[in-house]
Every structure is written in C-alpha cells, then in structure tokens.
Amino acid sequence: MVKRIRVAVVAALGVATLVAGPVTTASAGTGKADPAVSDVAVSPSPVEVKGAETVKVTFTAETGGDASAVTGWIKPELGAETEFKLTRSDDLGSGKARWKYTKDFNRQFAPVKWTFRAVAGNSAAKSVEFTVKQVFETDFDDIAATPAVVREGGLITLGGVLRQNGTTGWAPLPNARVHLAFRPLGGSYDRLPGSVETNGQGRFWFKAKATRTGHWRAEYDGSPTSLGARSETDRVDVKAALRQSRIVDFGARPDPVDRGDRISVRGRLLLDTQYGWEGYRDRKVVILFRADDAYRWTAVATDWTDGHGRFGADLTATRSGDWRAEFAGAEGVEGAGSATGHVTVLTPGPAPERADSRIVRFNASPEPGRYGRYLTFTGSLQVRDGHGWEGYGAKVRLYFKPKGSHKWQYVKTTRAADSGRILTKAKTYRSGYWRFVFKGDHDFYGDTGASDHVKVVRHRR
C-alpha cells in the first residue's frame, strides 16, 4: 500500500513538471524576461526655442527585464543621428526602471520633425516623433526720423530695417508687417493707425503728421516663427505752425509813364493774427522788376514796412515791364509775394516849348487830424500865359512824407478843375507832411507845391 502511494506521488510530480515547464522558462533558461524599452517620451513637446534662449529637453525611456543600459538617438528629418546614453533615474519595481537624458536645444537645431528612439539590450528599439519650433529673435537697425525739426502739421518720415537672427545669423526680414508708435514728451507710447510691410531688404518707411514734440519708434508684433521687437526711438522737435502773410494793394503808377519820369511802387504787408489780418511792421520787402524782353526778375529796391505794413519806393522809369514785391518771411511766418503790375514806359518826342506852372494855396485840414479819419486837401493849379497866371485843369498827385522820414510816398491822383481848383481827401494814420505835385504836360512844365504838416492824434482831448 505504501509503495503504491509513492509511485502515485512520483507520477503526479512528473505530470506537473511536463505542464509547467513551457510557461515559466525564459529565454536562455534564466527564468527572467529580456531587457527591453517599453515606452519613450520627449518633454517638452513640441520643443519651442525662442530667440537666443536655450531649452532643456528631457528624453525618457521606461524599461523592463532589469535593463542595465539604455542607448538613445535623436535624428532630424534630414540629417545625421546623434547617439547618447540615458541615465537610470527611477526604479519602478519588478525589474522596471525609468531612464533619462537631458540635452540643450538652441537656434542651431533645425525647425523640423525629429525622431527619438531608445534601445535596451538586444530588443527592438522604441521610438517617438517630436517637433522643434524656432521662434527667431528680431531687431531694428538704422532707425531715423527726419527731419529732426518740423513745423506743426508738417510730415516726418521714419525709416529703418527689420532683421531676424536665423540659423545662419542676422539677415533682413522681408514681408513683415511693421507699426508706427509715438510718445509725446512726458507721455506714453501710442500706436498710430495703419502699418507698412518691409521690402525684400527688410526696409520700411512711414510718413506721419507731426503735431507735438516727442519720440517715434517702429514696432513688430512677431509671427509664429519670429519674436516681436521694438526699435530704438528718434526724437523730432515740433515748432509752432507758420503764420501766413500776404501783400495787398500792390501797384506801380502811373501807367503809362514817360521815360525818365518817376514810378511810384506801393503796397501793404499783412500778417494773419488771432484778431484777423493786420499790418506787419518793421519787415523788409523787396521790389522786383522784369523788363518785357527779359526772363529774370531783378531786385531794384527794398523798403521796411511802417506800423501799418505799408511799404514803397519811387524809381526812375527806364523800360516797360512788370513789377512785384516779395517778403521772404520771418521766424514762424511764411513769406509772401504780391500780384504783378505792368507799366508801359513811353519814349517822349522832342520837348516842346512849355510855359511855367505853379501850385498855390495848398492846405491840409483839419489840424490836428484824427487817426484813421479823412483829411481834406485844397489848392490851386495855375499856369502862366501872356497876361499872367490863370487856373488850369490837369492831373495832380498827392504825396505824403511821414515825420522823421526822408522819402515822399505817392498817395493818389486827383484832377484840378478847369478853374485850377484842387480838392481831394485821403485817410491819415501818421503825423507828417503833405503836398501836391503837377508832373507837367506838353504845354506846361511841372511844379511841386509847398508842403503842409499835419499832426495826427488818436483822440481829442
């Protein structure tokens, strides 16, 4: 009975060995699984390199079968593999472990798809793809705002070059959208509406209206492959806008005139003020002449305006031609030119025998005169005949010489009645001397009458 039981046990054990043998026996008869990589990972993924910074990328592999070493490779889509050894970092139990390798990625790494693969022992490699994105740094060069000084409301130009520091170094960045920003003194930057695109050489130009003194700069917002940038600033000083001036009441008289006679050129310079157009005093005005057969204007006289902006000159008539006046402008004031006036100069024939003339009983009233009011001028033009003096009807000119001046200024032309009586009026603004002048004609010589002084006051006491 005992012997039969022992045979049965031995038989049972034999059956058990035959069933369990194929399940528990590992390769090479060790009873353990071969070392192998079960999983791989890349962190961060994707790898984004911004500008000149360096990104630390960790390559991870998990293994089983008590792996003693893990080898890894990284490779871009086009390019050679880079091999490295991973370091065991964590024991996960049951023969499993985690392995790591850290590598610095910078702008030298191509922005393409890469592959990371790892292998342990003689097992098959495990791989994963990851993407490298390069966001290159950008910067502005040659920033300049011109002109450095501009009148209020005038245009300035801001220009420069946008560059990108790519895999091959700094190079112009074409077709990039650039914005313009302005900061007034003591203020903050404000972006102006609109933008421009850089050309093939990365260059750009803005035009903008300058209203205040301040700093100008260019701004680039960046793109998926390039970082934004702000340029250096350039200052533009804004001066007050030019005020306007103009020349009115300009004329050259008489027309026509005999060669050798005097031409009176007169006008008035006005300035646009907050109160309207007013006389612009103490400003130099140039009188210009261009003969009928000439192409160029020639400066023939200058005069300084009086308190009401009036100016003028008396010149000898030599040739027919055009007359005009110019004011070159002053600080904060734009220059002006007058309308053109033409005078025909006649060549007189042989001087006829002429008799004398005279102007008598000249008087200017009232005295004193009121500022801006009319004065009345009277007198008599007489000519000599065989029996004495008699009245004569002809054109007579009124002249004025301000007190303290040495120049007589033409005012107007009137006509003496056939009786010789002269009567006319003119407004007065300054104290000074008045007189009538008869230029003469074919029958009688001319004459300059005596002068009469009138003091001008702004109000009566």
Side-chain angles (χ1 to χ4, degrees), residues 197-393:
E197 194 173 82
T198 59
N199 65 13
Q201 289 74 47
R203 286 202 165 274
F204 60 89
W205 294 269
F206 283 102
K207 285 193 178 295
K209 185 178 291 187
T211 58
R212 291 182 289 176
T213 295
H215 298 268
W216 298 84
R217 77 178 183 192
E219 298 181 349
Y220 173 56
D221 289 339
S223 73
T225 58
S226 57
L227 295 173
R230 303 291 182 265
S231 76
E232 294 182 349
T233 65
D234 203 5
R235 171 170 166 161
V236 173
D237 290 313
V238 176
K239 291 188 174 183
L242 286 173
R243 289 193 289 170
Q244 301 296 306
S245 66
R246 68 183 183 187
I247 295 175
V248 298
D249 303 332
F250 179 79
R253 295 177 288 269
D255 178 34
V257 63
D258 290 334
R259 179 177 284 113
D261 281 355
R262 302 291 280 176
I263 293 178
S264 176
V265 184
R266 297 286 183 272
R268 191 174 179 212
L269 177 63
L270 302 179
L271 177 65
D272 189 10
T273 72
Q274 59 180 326
Y275 305 108
W277 290 97
E278 296 185 346
Y280 197 16
R281 66 184 301 164
D282 299 328
R283 295 297 159 185
K284 183 179 179 180
V285 178
V286 179
I287 309 296
L288 301 108
F289 173 72
R290 182 182 62 190
D292 285 345
D293 58 353
Y295 295 97
R296 291 185 177 181
W297 291 91
T298 303
V300 294
T302 59
D303 192 27
W304 291 82
T305 58
D306 65 13
H308 302 280
R310 292 187 292 260
F311 63 88
D314 294 314
L315 303 159
T316 301
T318 57
R319 290 186 293 173
S320 298
D322 295 316
W323 296 85
R324 68 184 175 93
E326 283 187 353
F327 167 55
E331 178 63 29
V333 179
E334 192 169 6
S338 73
T340 300
H342 186 273
V343 174
T344 301
V345 176
L346 305 175
T347 302
E353 289 191 12
R354 296 186 289 177
D356 291 334
S357 68
R358 68 181 186 181
I359 295 175
V360 296
R361 295 191 294 276
F362 175 68
N363 183 59
S365 63
E367 298 183 48
R370 296 277 305 272
Y371 176 88
R373 300 290 182 86
Y374 282 98
L375 292 178
T376 300
F377 305 94
T378 59
S380 180
L381 172 62
Q382 297 178 347
V383 295
R384 185 187 291 277
D385 64 7
H387 306 287
W389 295 94
E390 66 176 20
Y392 183 62

